[in-house]
């Protein structure tokens, strides 16, 4: 199946948000499976516009019960049949009719880095890449699918290459899930590139995307429509929930409500609540600040904007906190703003947008 190679062939964000669709009118569904929930978005590409047809989200609790034999973290450790059953229900409830699907590969299941090469032609780089990749990819090269792209010439004697590797075990799992779910895979794509396309598009401004997921957070830097950096952190919104559960002695559902309604409140009467999880936020953003500082020292263009996305981006007060901490303009991601949607849905879509960036 061509999808096992096509997931990385469009590293540069295409000219159109649905540039991989070639016909004048096409339907496609984006599928993003996470540990906490799965999301789907069906778009119709017509007259150079992406039209939202339907979307949906389903919590995975109750579905992911049996751990399989495959290695890997997140939802990938669960049985193919459990994942497929959940997706079947989600596709049915969301009334998905698109014949083709694009699946998002978790950033934590991929390896993305930049490598400096001597000034070589593309064929020479392609030949040298498997040998060079051994220095960066922690599993045997024979067990991954590699792709690469020259992102910039550093000087007259060297080039910087974006290297991407995905374990074959991961792509095979997605193929099995798609077959069980009875959907046709048009492509697989590392979620970092999906987010860059849906949130940044053609904006050439050096922008950092901070994707706060359930178990982990990804920092991605995009400049001139090209990914320049991808870094994963072992901090997710689940840690905040657990801290609230233990610190306040409340249920998980109550902890989730507190995150949404109180968040990083500065009210004196709510400081006790905030103090239970604030150190986790401080640790995460101190790490993000460190990586951004290293990037800014080396890159010719410093980061000018930050886009918060993922379910964790809905933490109340996080936009202001991030702006103060990192000293740049910060916005909350709304991928639906680049699609044609009914006016009455726009407030809802703006609220849920960060969770649907990948899908």
């Amino acid at each position: 199946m061509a999808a096992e190679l096509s997931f990385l062939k469009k590293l540069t964000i295409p000219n159109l948000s649905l540039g991989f669709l070639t016909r004048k009118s096409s339907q496609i569904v984006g599928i993003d499976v996470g540990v906490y929930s799965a999301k789907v978005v069906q778009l119709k590409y017509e007259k150079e516009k992406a039209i939202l047809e339907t979307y949906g989200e389903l919590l995975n609790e109750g579905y992911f019960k049996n751990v399989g034999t495959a290695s890997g973290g997140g939802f990938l450790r669960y049985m193919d049949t459990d994942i497929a059953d959940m997706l079947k229900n989600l596709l049915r409830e969301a009334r998905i009719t698109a014949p083709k699907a694009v699946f998002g590969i978790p950033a934590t299941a991929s390896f993305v880095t930049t490598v400096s090469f001597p000034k070589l032609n593309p064929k020479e780089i392609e030949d040298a890449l498997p040998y060079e990749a051994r220095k960066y990819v922690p599993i045997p090269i024979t067990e991954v699918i590699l792709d690469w792209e020259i992102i910039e010439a550093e000087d007259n004697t060297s080039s910087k290459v974006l290297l991407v590797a995905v374990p074959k075990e991961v792509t095979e799992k997605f193929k099995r899930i798609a077959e069980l779910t009875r959907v046709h895979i048009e492509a697989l794509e590392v979620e970092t590139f999906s987010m860059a396309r849906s949130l940044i598009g053609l904006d050439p401004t050096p922008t950092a995307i901070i994707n706060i997921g359930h178990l982990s957070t990804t920092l991605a830097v995009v400049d001139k429509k090209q990914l320049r950096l991808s870094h994963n952190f072992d901090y997710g919104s689940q840690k905040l929930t657990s801290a609230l559960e233990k610190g306040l002695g409340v249920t998980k559902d109550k902890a989730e409500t507190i995150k949404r309604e109180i968040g990083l409140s500065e009210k004196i009467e709510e400081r006790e609540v905030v103090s239970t999880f604030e150190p986790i936020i401080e640790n995460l953003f101190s790490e993000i600040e460190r990586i951004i500082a290293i990037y800014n020292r080396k890159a010719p263009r410093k980061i000018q904007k930050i886009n918060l996305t993922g379910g964790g981006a809905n933490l109340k007060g996080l936009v202001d906190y991030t702006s103060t901490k990192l000293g740049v303009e910060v916005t909350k991601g709304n991928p639906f703003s680049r699609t044609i949607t009914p006016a009455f849905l726009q407030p809802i879509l703006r609220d849920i947008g960060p969770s649907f960036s990948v899908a």
Side-chain angles (χ1 to χ4, degrees):
M1 183 179 62
E4 62 189 18
L5 289 178
S6 63
F7 62 46
L8 299 173
K9 286 302 180 186
K10 293 183 184 292
L11 299 184
T12 302
I13 301 167
N15 292 330
L16 299 171
S17 62
L18 291 179
F20 52 83
L21 299 177
T22 55
R23 297 193 300 273
K24 285 186 178 180
S25 179
S26 253
Q27 283 181 316
I28 201 149
V29 57
I31 301 176
D32 172 28
V33 182
V35 175
Y36 181 70
S37 69
K39 279 79 65 177
V40 293
V41 175
Q42 179 171 305
L43 296 174
K44 183 179 181 181
Y45 178 61
E46 192 172 70
K47 297 180 181 178
E48 299 190 357
K49 291 183 174 65
I51 301 169
L52 176 66
E53 293 195 310
T54 186
Y55 66 93
E57 180 177 16
L58 185 62
L59 299 185
N60 298 337
E61 190 174 7
Y63 289 97
F64 292 180
K65 296 177 180 178
N66 304 303
V67 177
T69 57
S71 60
F75 81 92
L76 292 170
R77 69 182 185 272
Y78 292 103
M79 294 285 288
D80 299 347
T81 49
D82 288 353
I83 299 170
D85 287 344
M86 179 272 300
L87 283 178
K88 285 178 187 175
N89 287 339
L90 174 55
L91 294 170
R92 183 179 63 252
E93 292 298 321
R95 298 182 181 180
I96 298 296
T97 58
K100 296 179 180 179
V102 178
F103 281 81
I105 297 175
T108 52
S110 63
F111 311 99
V112 181
T113 190
T114 54
V115 183
S116 292
F117 273 90
K119 197 70 174 179
L120 303 173
N121 64 46
K123 181 62 172 68
E124 290 173 321
I125 291 177
E126 184 175 4
D127 292 340
L129 201 68
Y131 303 98
E132 189 68 19
R134 291 191 178 107
K135 301 176 184 177
Y136 303 93
V137 180
I139 64 177
I141 296 302
T142 55
E143 297 177 12
V144 301
I145 296 174
L146 287 175
D147 209 345
W148 59 277
E149 181 179 63
I150 298 174
I151 56 175
E152 67 178 340
E154 295 181 320
D155 49 47
N156 292 329
T157 61
S158 64
S159 299
K160 185 173 287 186
V161 173
L162 182 68
L163 171 66
V164 184
V166 175
K168 291 178 181 177
E169 184 180 21
V170 172
T171 64
E172 289 301 316
K173 187 174 185 70
F174 274 102
K175 288 165 64 176
R176 293 194 303 270
I177 291 168
E179 187 174 351
L180 289 168
T181 312
R182 297 189 181 90
V183 297
H184 173 76
I185 297 182
E186 176 76 358
L188 300 173
E189 182 172 61
V190 177
E191 64 182 15
T192 314
F193 301 106
S194 306
M195 290 187 299
R197 183 180 300 111
S198 69
L199 296 173
I200 298 176
L202 303 180
D203 187 349
T205 308
T207 303
I209 299 172
I210 300 175
N211 178 35
I212 305 175
H214 189 62
L215 294 179
S216 63
T217 293
T218 299
L219 169 66
V221 178
V222 178
D223 186 11
K224 295 180 180 178
K225 300 180 288 182
Q226 289 183 315
L227 184 71
R228 307 301 176 110
L229 169 73
S230 180
H231 191 92
N232 299 320
F233 304 91
D234 188 26
Y235 290 88
S237 59
Q238 184 189 44
K239 283 194 174 182
L240 305 184
T241 305
S242 297
L244 286 167
E245 285 183 78
K246 294 173 183 176
L248 303 179
V250 297
T251 65
K252 183 169 68 174
D253 289 342
K254 180 63 175 177
E256 290 288 345
T257 301
I258 291 171
K259 280 199 307 186
R260 286 196 305 272
E261 296 180 356
I262 296 179
L264 294 168
S265 172
E266 295 184 355
K267 294 180 180 178
I268 295 176
E269 64 270 24
E270 294 172 339
R271 285 305 300 166
E272 181 183 356
V273 172
V274 177
S275 66
T276 60
F277 66 84
E278 193 172 35
I280 299 171
I281 295 290
E282 287 284 351
N283 289 338
L284 171 60
F285 278 84
S286 292
E287 282 294 295
I288 291 173
E289 184 179 30
R290 182 179 66 84
I291 298 298
I292 287 178
I294 293 171
Y295 176 86
N296 283 339
R297 281 200 301 269
K298 296 180 178 179
R301 286 159 38 103
K302 294 183 178 181
I303 294 166
Q304 296 179 26
K305 294 195 298 187
I306 289 176
N307 197 309
L308 288 176
T309 192
N314 287 320
L315 182 69
K316 188 175 180 180
L318 190 60
V319 170
D320 290 339
Y321 172 89
T322 306
S323 181
T324 301
K325 178 78 172 176
L326 302 179
V328 294
E329 175 190 349
V330 178
T331 57
K332 196 161 69 169
N334 180 17
F336 293 110
S337 67
R338 301 183 59 239
T339 64
I340 305 300
T341 60
F344 75 91
L345 270 181
Q346 289 174 10
I348 297 172
L349 297 176
R350 192 161 47 244
D351 185 50
I352 66 174
S355 297
F356 282 82
S357 299
V358 173

